[in-house]
């Protein structure tokens, strides 16, 4: 598959080359940066039209009626000396017209290199292709490796394999992602309040202990029992509890201010993560709000951040966690979620085991279809 056409105008609509990609447990259309508008206001209109937001089913676009399938990726060559590609992530929602391009998405990140190879931005020359990708939203750089064997006289992305990730049916080829220096990706520091634990007064409930942490994704970690649930409920059960959702959102707004993020009412972060002791041999059980619907699994960087909190004594996560035996520098933790578990490998400073120097994980990805996405000219040029 090669997507090589350029945007064109036909019959009152603009045709934009696009590839619909699954990355990890998320899905969305990917675009070449050069094929989209330069200014963010027009870009937001185009993306809303592409996904069909706002509408609960997104029937007039490619969105799937859920935050995990209401995303888009924009990719282009990087001018940064330490990066090969730039990736811009956009989170849309079925229920409103927001287009958030401030946060990371480690799931769609897994689809960046496959998309770049499909579109000719990256030409593989070996059986494994490793590309340095900068996420423009936060500046984080990841080293991403995909399998690119020679098939039929040319190299391309190998999608089939025996790697399974919870939350996705079947098996696929692995996509290996390594992160460096993701602490404070949005909130400015690993512990943006300066504390491993804060007591927050929640109206109608009282004082609740939380851990505010950011190692790639700003999280507010709270014990599930503190909010009157076990943390083992299904996403549907938690989402259907209006009293719980109201408490979680109120706590999110309070903690957003506490973390120095300001008014986060129109943001998708911080993510609220309810934790409880592990059920199935992992390190920790999680239920993650994104931010008002409960995730069917857990986001990539949310898992990295939750794992980080597990190894920091004094945090709410550490209190509930069962930690594996670590070697001198690396610890692998299985973060349990509603669909299974997510393994995260953390590199720790030998002189200070609570300082996280790197993280690594495995995802899978697949190109689902390629073609032209039509946007009315009145959206592109009002």
């Amino acid at each position: 598959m090669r997507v090589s056409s350029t945007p064109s105008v036909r019959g009152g609509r603009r045709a934009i080359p696009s590839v619909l990609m699954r990355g990890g447990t998320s899905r969305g259309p990917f675009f070449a940066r050069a094929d989209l508008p330069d200014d963010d206001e027009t870009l937001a209109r185009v993306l809303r039209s592409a996904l069909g937001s706002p509408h609960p089913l997104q029937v007039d676009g490619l969105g799937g009626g859920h935050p995990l399938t209401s995303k888009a990726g924009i990719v282009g060559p990087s001018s940064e000396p330490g990066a090969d590609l730039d990736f811009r992530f956009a989170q849309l929602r079925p229920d409103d017209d927001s287009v958030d391009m401030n946060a990371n998405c480690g799931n769609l990140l897994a689809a960046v290199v496959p998309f770049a190879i499909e579109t000719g931005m990256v030409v593989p020359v070996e059986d494994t292709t490793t590309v340095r990708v900068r996420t423009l939203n936060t500046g984080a750089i990841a080293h991403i490796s995909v399998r690119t064997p020679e098939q039929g006289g040319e190299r391309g992305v190998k999608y089939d394999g025996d790697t399974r990730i919870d939350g996705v049916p079947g098996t696929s080829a692995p996509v290996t992602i390594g992160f460096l220096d993701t602490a404070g990706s949005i909130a400015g520091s690993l512990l943006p309040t300066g504390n491993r634990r804060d007591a927050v007064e929640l109206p109608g409930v009282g004082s609740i202990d939380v851990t505010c942490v950011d190692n790639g994704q700003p999280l507010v970690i709270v014990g599930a029992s503190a909010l009157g649930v076990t943390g083992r409920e299904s996403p549907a059960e938690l989402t259907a509890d209006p009293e719980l959702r109201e408490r979680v959102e109120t706590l999110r707004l309070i903690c957003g201010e506490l973390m120095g993020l300001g008014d986060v009412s129109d943001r998708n972060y911080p993510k609220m993560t309810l934790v409880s002791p592990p059920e199935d041999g992992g390190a920790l059980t999680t239920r993650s709000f994104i931010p008002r619907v409960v995730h069917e699994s857990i986001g990539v960087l949310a898992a990295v951040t939750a794992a980080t909190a597990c190894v920091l004594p004094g945090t709410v996560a550490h209190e509930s966690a069962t930690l594996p035996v670590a070697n001198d520098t690396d610890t692998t933790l299985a973060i349990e979620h509603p669909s299974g578990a997510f393994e995260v490998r953390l590199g720790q400073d030998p002189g200070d085991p609570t300082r996280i120097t790197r993280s690594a994980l495995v995802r899978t990805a697949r190109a689902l279809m390629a073609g032209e996405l039509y946007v009315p000219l009145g959206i592109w040029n009002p």
Side-chain angles (χ1 to χ4, degrees), residues 137-156:
N137 304 53
T138 63
I141 292 180
H143 290 212
I144 303 176
S145 298
V146 301
R147 294 181 179 175
T148 50
E150 187 173 332
Q151 303 174 78
E154 65 176 354
R155 293 187 182 277

Side-chain angles (χ1 to χ4, degrees), residues 17-38:
S18 176
V19 180
L20 186 63
M21 303 287 303
R22 176 184 65 78
T25 55
S26 296
R27 190 193 73 205
F30 270 64
F31 306 94
R33 181 180 59 204
D35 293 340
L36 291 177
D38 292 328

Side-chain angles (χ1 to χ4, degrees), residues 21-379:
M21 303 287 303
R22 176 184 65 78
T25 55
S26 296
R27 190 193 73 205
F30 270 64
F31 306 94
R33 181 180 59 204
D35 293 340
L36 291 177
D38 292 328
D39 68 287
D40 283 357
E41 183 178 343
T42 306
L43 176 61
R45 288 198 305 270
V46 169
L47 293 178
R48 280 193 290 266
S49 178
L51 274 295
S53 292
H55 185 274
L57 299 179
Q58 295 176 312
V59 294
D60 200 36
L62 295 180
H66 191 281
L68 295 182
T69 54
S70 187
K71 301 181 176 186
I74 304 167
V75 182
S78 180
S79 59
E80 182 75 13
D84 305 304
L85 293 174
D86 283 343
F87 166 56
R88 195 173 190 192
F89 163 66
Q91 174 71 66
L92 291 88
R93 296 212 298 248
D95 56 347
D96 63 39
D97 63 358
S98 65
V99 181
D100 190 349
M101 291 181 276
N102 294 287
N104 289 322
C105 178
N107 273 305
L108 276 200
L109 182 63
V112 170
V113 176
F115 169 77
I117 293 172
E118 296 286 7
T119 55
M121 290 184 200
V122 170
V123 178
V125 295
E126 298 180 342
D127 288 346
T128 297
T129 298
T130 300
V131 180
R132 299 165 300 175
V133 178
R134 176 177 62 156
T135 298
L136 293 178
N137 304 53
T138 63
I141 292 180
H143 290 212
I144 303 176
S145 298
V146 301
R147 294 181 179 175
T148 50
E150 187 173 332
Q151 303 174 78
E154 65 176 354
R155 293 187 182 277
V157 182
K158 178 180 173 63
Y159 292 108
D160 59 307
D162 55 10
T163 296
R164 185 182 70 84
I165 62 172
D166 291 327
V168 177
T171 61
S172 305
V175 178
T176 304
I177 305 175
F179 296 102
L180 295 172
D181 300 324
T182 51
S185 65
I186 293 175
S189 63
L190 180 67
L191 298 169
T193 70
N195 305 314
R196 298 185 183 188
R197 182 184 294 243
D198 292 281
V200 176
E201 194 68 27
L202 182 61
V205 176
S207 180
I208 290 182
D209 281 356
V210 301
T211 290
C212 300
V213 57
D214 177 3
N215 194 22
Q217 183 72 263
L219 296 189
V220 176
I221 296 177
V222 57
S225 60
L227 293 175
V229 294
T230 67
R232 290 167 168 75
E233 295 84 355
S234 71
E237 289 174 314
L238 294 175
T239 300
D241 185 338
E243 184 178 354
L244 174 67
R245 290 204 325 269
E246 183 178 351
R247 287 177 176 176
V248 168
E249 180 63 8
T250 299
L251 188 60
R252 191 177 79 89
L253 296 177
I254 294 171
C255 291
E257 296 281 357
L258 194 64
M259 297 170 77
L261 299 171
D263 180 4
V264 296
S265 56
D266 62 346
R267 299 294 189 190
N268 285 293
Y269 57 78
K271 300 288 196 297
M272 303 299 296
T273 304
L274 278 57
V275 299
S276 57
E279 291 184 86
D280 206 18
L284 187 74
T285 294
T286 62
R287 295 294 185 266
S288 181
F289 286 72
I290 53 170
R292 301 174 185 88
V293 174
V294 180
H295 205 307
E296 295 295 330
S297 54
I298 188 171
V300 169
L301 288 160
V304 170
T305 300
T308 300
C310 283
V311 301
L312 297 178
T315 68
V316 173
H318 187 272
E319 181 181 90
S320 295
T322 298
L323 298 180
V325 177
N327 61 27
D328 290 340
T329 58
D330 291 301
T331 304
T332 299
L333 299 93
I335 303 300
E336 297 180 3
H337 55 73
S339 300
F342 193 132
E343 284 199 351
V344 178
R345 175 173 290 181
L346 297 178
Q348 296 169 271
D349 185 339
D352 179 7
T354 63
R355 178 175 172 267
I356 307 303
T357 57
R358 62 189 180 279
S359 58
L361 45 93
V362 174
R363 297 274 83 189
T364 64
R366 187 161 79 94
L368 301 175
M369 64 179 295
E372 294 176 329
L373 188 146
Y374 297 130
V375 173
L377 282 181
I379 298 292

